[in-house]
């Protein structure tokens, strides 16, 4: 058997061994994106990434092929979703408008406005507010579930990529942990139960003693805070200015940002992941 045939067989064996992984990651992704995203498009992108991973895999680096392939597949799916651009410009524009109105109402009421109040202030139906929030929440969930902000090549240390991209990615993950931990208790509970433990909304509502509609409202508030909390540390220019800088809402937000900044340093943020950007093993 020629070296070329041996290499071809090696690649085919690697691909066959991880075919179920593509289906698993595609199913996981479809649970967290709008229903109109096509399964076949994601599967094709995942299979292509698996084949490319098998061809470039170097076992002497000591990285299990399953982990290496999973990073490549996830990166390919993120790239495919970006091509689809399912969060249209009009949705993003309406979301920015909704954020501005929510902050104005929060400053005036010294509390988070209800969906009904928000819809009334915007002059739209309450269902439209809920639809916009649902699209945006799915976008944030994509990030919360551990997808890289760039391609898989940014996550996997290779000879053609420097380590600085991986460090930036790992620090972002560390900041995300800090932002979740700094949330007010009730909002932190909603994020943990809904996104990380995948509990049904009805169970969360029962635990908190509120309605499912209120849980949905808390979820939207938590995701907005998480986004702004992350931006306060990584991209301050993206944080929306408060309508009333001296108001109670602005003071609470400033305190939240300060708690994120004070809750760790670069070393503790990087400790959340290993040298490959994967979740660090927990010690007993």
């Amino acid at each position: 058997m020629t070296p070329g045939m041996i290499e071809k067989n090696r690649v085919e064996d690697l691909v066959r061994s991880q075919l179920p992984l593509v289906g698993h990651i595609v199913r996981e992704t479809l649970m967290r994106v709008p229903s109109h995203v096509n399964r076949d498009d994601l599967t094709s992108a995942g299979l292509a990434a698996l084949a490319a991973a098998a061809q470039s895999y170097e076992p002497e680096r000591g990285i299990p092929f399953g982990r290496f392939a999973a990073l490549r597949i996830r990166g390919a799916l993120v790239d495919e979703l970006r091509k689809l651009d399912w969060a249209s410009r009009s949705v993003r524009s309406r979301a920015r408008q909704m954020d501005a109105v929510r902050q104005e109402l929060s400053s005036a009421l010294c509390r988070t406005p209800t969906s009904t109040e928000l819809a009334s202030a915007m002059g739209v139906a309450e269902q439209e507010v809920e639809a916009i929030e649902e699209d945006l929440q799915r976008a944030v969930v994509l990030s919360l579930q551990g997808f890289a902000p760039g391609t898989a090549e940014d996550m996997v240390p290779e000879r053609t990529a420097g380590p600085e991209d991986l460090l930036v990615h790992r620090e972002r993950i560390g900041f995300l942990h800090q932002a979740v931990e700094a949330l007010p208790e009730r909002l932190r509970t909603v994020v943990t139960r809904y996104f990380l433990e995948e509990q049904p909304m009805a169970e969360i509502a029962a635990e908190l003693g509120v309605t499912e509609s209120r849980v949905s409202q808390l979820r939207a508030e938590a995701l907005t805070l998480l986004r702004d909390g992350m931006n306060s540390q990584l991209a301050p220019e993206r944080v929306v200015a408060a309508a009333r800088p001296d108001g109670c809402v602005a003071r609470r937000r400033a305190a939240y940002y300060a708690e994120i900044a004070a809750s760790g340093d670069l070393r503790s943020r990087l400790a959340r992941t290993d040298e490959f950007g994967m979740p660090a093993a927990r010690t007993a």
Side-chain angles (χ1 to χ4, degrees), residues 149-178:
T151 64
E153 284 73 16
D154 294 323
M155 298 169 59
V156 183
E158 298 185 27
R159 288 174 296 182
T160 56
E164 62 276 5
D165 292 330
L166 182 60
L167 286 174
V168 170
H169 171 60
R170 291 177 61 195
E171 186 174 22
R172 286 195 185 103
I173 293 176
F175 269 125
L176 177 58
H177 280 278
Q178 290 177 203

Side-chain angles (χ1 to χ4, degrees), residues 258-276:
E259 185 173 350
I260 295 173
S263 61
D265 55 18
L266 178 60
R267 182 183 296 274
S268 65
R269 286 190 288 274
L270 295 182
R272 302 282 188 170
T273 52
D274 62 20
E275 63 271 27
F276 304 116

Side-chain angles (χ1 to χ4, degrees), residues 46-268:
L47 290 173
L50 175 62
Q55 292 173 350
S56 62
Y57 178 59
E58 297 178 7
E60 59 270 18
R61 294 192 178 189
I63 305 174
F65 179 66
R67 176 184 293 184
F68 179 78
L71 291 169
R72 289 296 190 92
I73 294 166
R74 291 183 187 277
L77 297 193
V78 171
D79 288 343
E80 182 66 23
L81 288 171
R82 283 182 175 145
K83 290 178 185 177
L84 296 175
D85 192 22
W86 52 265
S88 68
R89 292 182 180 179
S90 62
V91 170
R92 295 184 190 278
S93 175
R94 295 289 280 171
R96 285 192 294 270
Q97 178 190 352
M98 187 169 66
D99 277 348
V101 173
R102 178 184 281 120
Q103 288 211 22
E104 290 178 4
L105 287 176
S106 296
S107 296
L109 301 172
C110 282
R111 62 171 173 79
T112 303
T114 65
S115 297
T116 302
E117 292 168 337
L118 190 58
S120 177
M122 293 178 64
V124 300
E126 187 173 352
Q127 290 82 356
E128 183 172 346
V129 169
E130 293 173 352
I132 294 172
E133 287 181 340
E134 183 67 20
D135 280 342
L136 291 177
Q137 286 163 13
R138 290 189 182 279
V140 177
V141 171
L142 202 60
S143 175
L144 283 174
Q145 294 301 323
F147 286 108
T151 64
E153 284 73 16
D154 294 323
M155 298 169 59
V156 183
E158 298 185 27
R159 288 174 296 182
T160 56
E164 62 276 5
D165 292 330
L166 182 60
L167 286 174
V168 170
H169 171 60
R170 291 177 61 195
E171 186 174 22
R172 286 195 185 103
I173 293 176
F175 269 125
L176 177 58
H177 280 278
Q178 290 177 203
V180 171
E181 291 164 0
L183 284 171
E185 182 178 359
R186 179 166 285 201
L187 298 185
R188 184 172 65 252
T189 297
V190 170
V191 168
T192 302
R193 299 285 191 273
Y194 187 82
F195 293 120
L196 305 182
E197 298 176 5
E198 299 186 348
Q199 286 189 6
M201 194 174 294
E203 292 183 8
I204 303 172
E207 178 182 346
L208 297 178
V210 298
T211 64
E212 290 187 44
S213 176
R214 177 57 178 158
V215 172
S216 180
Q217 182 183 351
L218 291 171
R219 180 182 61 183
E221 181 181 350
L223 292 178
T224 299
L225 259 184
L226 281 175
R227 182 199 62 198
D228 290 345
M230 292 281 290
N231 283 339
S232 72
Q233 309 303 312
L234 298 168
E237 69 280 0
R238 295 184 181 178
V239 178
V240 179
R244 293 174 54 189
D246 57 344
C248 55
V249 173
R251 290 197 300 271
R252 284 201 299 266
R253 281 176 168 264
Y256 173 64
Y257 302 157
E259 185 173 350
I260 295 173
S263 61
D265 55 18
L266 178 60
R267 182 183 296 274
S268 65

